[in-house]
Amino acid sequence: MPILTELWRRLPLAAGYQARNVRHRLQLFSGLFYSTQPPPSDVTVQYNHGLPVVTLTLPSRNERCQFTVKPMTTTVGQFLKDIQQEDKGVERVAAVSTDGAKFSSSTLMNVLLQNDFQLVINKSTHHVSPPPIVNLQSARSEQLDPIKCMIQDLHTVFYYDDYLLQKEQQLLQRLENLKEELQPFEQMKENLMTLAEARTSRLKWVGLALLSTQGGALAWLTWWVYSWDIMEPVTYFITYGSAIGFYAYFLLTKLEYLYPEVSDRQFLHSFYRKAKVKKFDIEKYNRLKNEFAKTEASLRRLRSPLQLKLPIEQLHDRE
């Protein structure tokens, strides 16, 4: 009974203590949930020597780290990749606009730093407010533009002639190398052209011989064997057959039957057939010839009076 009496006496004191503890916690939570001040962000952006420096807390080591970015060349993907490389504990990192749209990896940092954005690292979201830099960049650009132009002019004055000489030597060396590569092709090409020309010439003489034989046979049949009344229909059908042959040639080649064009076509046909037999690489030869022509054109432009700043007479004397 004494024990029960002691517990009954202490029960109101314990209840009062629990009530005061609960009241204190409710006041703390009420201040927490109904506070109108946003939580401070631990991601800051400052400019050092004209470059933005992003400072943030790495989640794994809980230490501050600075990332210096080049806004005109660095992309958002490269910046986020640098964060993951610095802290291996970062599994997810993304840059999101204030309205919830995610920035692509190819977006430049210059675009990202123009407005406020959110940096999501793992499960935490950090609000970032970059400072304005438009006026600073434009002022520096206006100050540096005359200096850049002056440096460019000085570089042109001191090194332009050396550059032209070096470029001319490079082009001449390129021409020599192409000539060495083309030399065996040129020799083989000359042999193939000689063979193709000989075969085309033989076919021309064979055609003349066949036409002469045909004319002689028709004359012999007309005056010595038969009469003109019999041979006239034969010559008509021979002429009509020749017209059919010429029209068939037009349908196959889409070209009119002219003797120079027929000769050139026969020459090319013989040349390509013999090149295939001799294993002459026509594609490589054409590619080398095109490179040779482009190099010669570049050398002519380099030696032009405008490039050398010389009148035409002095240019001819130099050549």
Side-chain angles (χ1 to χ4, degrees), residues 47-112:
Y47 285 86
N48 187 11
H49 301 291
L51 294 177
V53 179
V54 182
T55 305
L56 54 90
T57 302
L58 299 177
S60 298
R61 303 192 296 268
N62 195 21
E63 62 182 8
R64 304 285 287 175
C65 184
Q66 293 182 346
F67 297 88
T68 303
V69 298
K70 297 179 180 180
M72 299 304 297
T73 57
T74 306
T75 61
V76 175
Q78 295 174 353
F79 171 65
L80 301 179
K81 187 177 180 181
D82 292 339
I83 297 176
Q84 290 181 328
Q85 290 179 353
E86 188 67 27
D87 190 352
K88 301 300 181 182
V90 178
E91 297 180 355
R92 178 177 179 270
V93 59
V96 184
S97 62
T98 54
D99 56 356
K102 182 179 179 182
F103 289 94
S104 63
S105 300
S106 60
T107 304
L108 293 176
M109 291 295 295
N110 185 33
V111 179
L112 179 66

Side-chain angles (χ1 to χ4, degrees), residues 25-184:
R25 291 184 178 180
L26 288 175
Q27 292 176 356
L28 179 64
F29 290 156
S30 175
L32 177 63
F33 288 116
Y34 291 95
S35 176
T36 59
Q37 296 180 357
S41 176
D42 58 350
V43 180
T44 60
V45 180
Q46 297 177 352
Y47 285 86
N48 187 11
H49 301 291
L51 294 177
V53 179
V54 182
T55 305
L56 54 90
T57 302
L58 299 177
S60 298
R61 303 192 296 268
N62 195 21
E63 62 182 8
R64 304 285 287 175
C65 184
Q66 293 182 346
F67 297 88
T68 303
V69 298
K70 297 179 180 180
M72 299 304 297
T73 57
T74 306
T75 61
V76 175
Q78 295 174 353
F79 171 65
L80 301 179
K81 187 177 180 181
D82 292 339
I83 297 176
Q84 290 181 328
Q85 290 179 353
E86 188 67 27
D87 190 352
K88 301 300 181 182
V90 178
E91 297 180 355
R92 178 177 179 270
V93 59
V96 184
S97 62
T98 54
D99 56 356
K102 182 179 179 182
F103 289 94
S104 63
S105 300
S106 60
T107 304
L108 293 176
M109 291 295 295
N110 185 33
V111 179
L112 179 66
L113 297 176
Q114 289 180 357
N115 301 309
D116 295 354
F117 66 95
Q118 295 178 351
L119 186 63
V120 181
I121 301 177
N122 290 340
K123 296 182 180 180
S124 60
T125 303
H126 308 274
H127 184 79
V128 185
S129 297
I133 60 170
V134 178
N135 295 332
L136 180 62
Q137 285 184 349
S138 60
R140 289 185 176 179
S141 178
E142 292 177 358
Q143 294 176 359
L144 291 177
D145 284 342
I147 300 176
K148 291 180 180 178
C149 294
M150 183 179 63
I151 294 175
Q152 184 177 3
D153 294 338
L154 290 175
H155 183 273
T156 302
V157 170
F158 288 108
Y159 298 101
Y160 185 71
D161 294 336
D162 296 337
Y163 169 76
L164 291 180
L165 181 61
Q166 182 181 3
K167 191 65 176 179
E168 183 179 7
Q169 292 177 354
Q170 292 178 358
L171 292 176
L172 291 175
Q173 183 64 33
R174 179 59 178 165
L175 285 177
E176 292 296 331
N177 296 334
L178 290 174
K179 285 181 181 179
E180 292 180 359
E181 294 183 22
L182 284 171
Q183 184 176 2

